[in-house]
Structure formats: C-alpha cells, structure tokens
Amino acid sequence: MAARDGWLVVVDPQVVFADPGASPWGSPMFAGAVGRMRELAAAFGPERTVVTRFVADPSLGGSWGPYYAEWPFALVPDADPLYAVVPELDGVAGHVVTAGTFGKWPVLRDLVGSDAHVTVAGVATDCCVVSTVLPMADAGVTVVVDGPACAGSTPENHERALAAMALFAPQVTVA
C-alpha cells in the first residue's frame, strides 16, 4: 500500500472540518473517510506521515480580510479546540505542520522535497486538498490522491475536485 520511500500527507484532519455540528466548515463525509486515513497512516508509519493543520491568520491581508469577515467564527487562537486534530488521528503522524492558508505546499516543501512521491488524504477535497495537491505537482512531486481517504464539503464537490485533480495525470493520480 505505501511506497517505502514515499510520504503520506493528511490534510487538515481537524475538528473544524470534521464535525458539521462544530462548524459550518464541517464535512458530512469526514466520518466515512477517517477510517481510511487511519489505515494509510498505519501503513506509512509515523516517520513517513505528515498531518497538516489550518489555523486562522488574519494578518495575511489581501482577500483573507473579506474571507474572515464572512467566517468570523474561525478567528480563534491556534490552540482552540476547533483547530485540534481529531482524536482518531491524534498522534499518528511523526510530523505536524501548520499554515494559515488553504494550500500546505509551502510548509511541506522542505520536509518532503520536490522530487518526492506523496499520497494525499484529508479534508476538504474541494478546498485544502486540491490547494495542496496542485502546487505539489507543479513543483515536481508525484502525487497519489486517495479518494476514499478524502472528504469534501459535499459528495458532489468531492467528485468534482477529484476529477479536476485527475486532469493533472501523470503527475497526479486519483486512486
């Protein structure tokens, strides 16, 4: 299942995205995908698994100002329980990286390298996952998106995002 020299990146498996009752960003698909995320993490092992975390960073400026004006609930500190990794995945990764942007490539680049083979899982397929995968592929990373280990904002948006990422073959493979 896991390439010996590959990495697993689990994008933003946090309460804010996992629980529709905890936030308007919660994916109704997360409960169905988290078991597959755990399986992948076990196969890759903690030393080759990275969990990313999104946290609000209103200091970014630009379009982030209006974004947070629309989503003020998210303007809580990094340590707020809303931004915690879900209990099912807490501790599975040997590496945890945090960023205030949808895409996580800038905080992953030095860890995994631009010639890496990376399997990606996480939430939301149609936001943070696609925003991470496409810059990775553009940088030369070989990416496998594990569809069953991803959760979208809706099933339709999930499928659209998987289809969009599949357009980037052979750099991106959707499995």
Side-chain angles (χ1 to χ4, degrees):
M1 177 184 310
R4 296 278 184 236
D5 62 345
W7 289 88
L8 171 66
V9 173
V10 183
V11 177
D12 302 352
Q14 298 163 263
V15 173
V16 67
F17 303 117
D19 183 356
S23 102
W25 292 347
S27 169
M29 300 178 67
F30 190 84
V34 71
R36 177 69 179 151
M37 292 177 205
R38 282 187 59 78
E39 289 174 13
L40 288 169
F44 278 84
E47 66 283 352
R48 303 300 287 180
T49 299
V50 183
V51 163
T52 70
R53 294 177 59 249
F54 173 88
V55 296
D57 185 356
S59 72
L60 292 173
S63 65
W64 288 103
Y67 182 81
Y68 286 118
E70 187 169 330
W71 303 107
F73 82 92
L75 290 172
V76 296
D78 181 334
D80 190 276
L82 201 58
Y83 288 130
V85 172
V86 295
E88 300 93 331
L89 295 172
D90 190 33
V92 300
H95 312 274
V96 178
V97 296
T98 301
T101 56
F102 300 139
K104 304 306 185 295
W105 177 239
V107 296
L108 291 167
R109 179 183 9 239
D110 290 341
L111 179 61
V112 304
S114 60
D115 61 348
H117 292 259
V118 178
T119 297
V120 176
V123 63
T125 318
D126 46 310
C127 185
C128 295
V129 172
V130 72
S131 295
T132 298
V133 166
L134 296 184
M136 290 171 82
D138 200 40
V141 174
T142 301
V143 182
V144 174
V145 178
D146 191 299
C150 293
S153 62
T154 67
E156 297 79 17
N157 288 343
H158 169 77
E159 290 301 324
R160 284 185 194 115
L162 292 177
M165 289 183 281
L167 294 171
F168 290 83
Q171 291 169 296
V172 177
T173 303
V174 176

